[in-house]
Amino acid sequence: MYSFQQTSPATHRTQPDQRSFQRVSVNLPGRLMLPNHDEYECTVINMSPGDVFFACHARPRAGERIIAYVDHLGRIEGTVSKSTDDGFVILVNATERKREKLAAQLTWIANKHELGLPEDRQHDRLTPRNSRTELALDDGRHYPCRIIDLSLSGAAIDIEVRPAVGTPVQLGNMRGKVVRHFQEGVAIEFSSVQSKEALTAFL
């Protein structure tokens, strides 16, 4: 299982050194805009919360600002750090909160096959803005956890404990059961399909 870890001591800079995070292969399509407002189709080949490698016909210069809209990730901004024969790398310009959100999204993408959640599953995944919550068991125990991914039918959470598969649980006001374990935590299937309004506490 993949989990983003900084490979050098964390700092509070808006643009960390591109080597401070490991990159993961993602192969996500998108569109980007150069400073002169020219737009290009692009593909994110690999990325981390700190930097992105785009395959693209565009050849921006080092230091130029790039705005991209990438499938499953949304808007990404950054400045070009280097070019290659088939694309270029940008350093991501983002707040700490945005970087945490990117890390959660990339963790999900990197691990989706092992989690057993295919691309064409019934309900689209949603990345929560408020990811910190508690998982409650029927015996009254509560455990702090972080939501990696959320949909109308279930969630993947980062948690230290591993309740047995089949254990009834409650995440916020949503009841469900543990259906899978993975390295960072567990996957939960809700007892019923939720409305998007029911998820507003996390979104």
Side-chain angles (χ1 to χ4, degrees):
M1 294 294 296
Y2 195 93
S3 180
F4 279 97
Q5 300 291 335
Q6 286 189 314
T7 57
S8 63
T11 70
H12 296 290
R13 291 177 296 169
T14 303
Q15 289 185 332
D17 183 272
Q18 67 184 43
R19 294 165 296 178
S20 63
F21 294 94
Q22 286 183 302
R23 286 192 208 163
V24 61
S25 296
V26 290
N27 195 34
L28 298 174
R31 290 184 64 83
L32 60 81
M33 186 173 67
L34 303 183
N36 64 3
H37 302 294
D38 286 348
E39 293 190 11
Y40 291 85
E41 299 288 336
C42 63
T43 301
V44 175
I45 302 300
N46 56 64
M47 71 176 292
S48 77
D51 65 340
V52 186
F53 174 63
F54 288 99
C56 187
H57 292 303
R59 289 295 181 271
R61 295 187 298 271
E64 287 191 326
R65 180 169 174 259
I66 300 296
I67 299 174
Y69 292 87
V70 181
D71 284 9
H72 304 298
L73 297 176
R75 179 185 170 113
I76 296 173
E77 295 184 44
T79 54
V80 177
S81 63
K82 68 177 181 179
S83 295
T84 68
D85 290 340
D86 53 355
F88 57 90
V89 175
I90 70 168
L91 299 183
V92 175
N93 182 13
T95 62
E96 183 177 351
R97 183 169 183 172
K98 171 68 173 177
R99 216 177 292 283
E100 287 179 354
K101 180 178 178 180
L102 276 175
Q105 290 170 310
L106 291 172
T107 297
W108 180 261
I109 291 167
N111 293 334
K112 64 181 181 292
H113 296 302
E114 192 164 341
L115 288 171
L117 295 166
E119 292 290 356
D120 60 351
R121 61 185 167 138
Q122 186 176 359
H123 298 107
D124 290 339
R125 61 182 180 271
L126 306 166
T127 302
R129 288 187 302 168
N130 180 23
S131 61
R132 302 288 178 179
T133 185
E134 285 189 336
L135 186 73
L137 274 60
D138 282 353
D139 62 8
R141 286 178 291 173
H142 289 72
Y143 297 99
C145 63
R146 180 177 66 86
I147 300 174
I148 298 172
D149 183 83
L150 190 64
S151 79
L152 303 184
S153 56
I157 62 171
D158 182 344
I159 190 170
E160 291 186 3
V161 299
R162 298 293 186 276
V165 171
T167 300
V169 295
Q170 184 163 333
L171 185 69
N173 59 358
M174 298 168 292
R175 295 195 61 81
K177 64 180 179 180
V178 175
V179 293
R180 196 171 297 108
H181 291 176
F182 56 97
Q183 183 174 331
E184 287 79 18
V186 299
I188 297 168
E189 180 181 276
F190 297 142
S191 300
S192 59
V193 175
Q194 305 293 309
S195 67
K196 193 164 184 179
E197 288 71 27
L199 307 182
T200 54
F202 302 109
L203 302 174

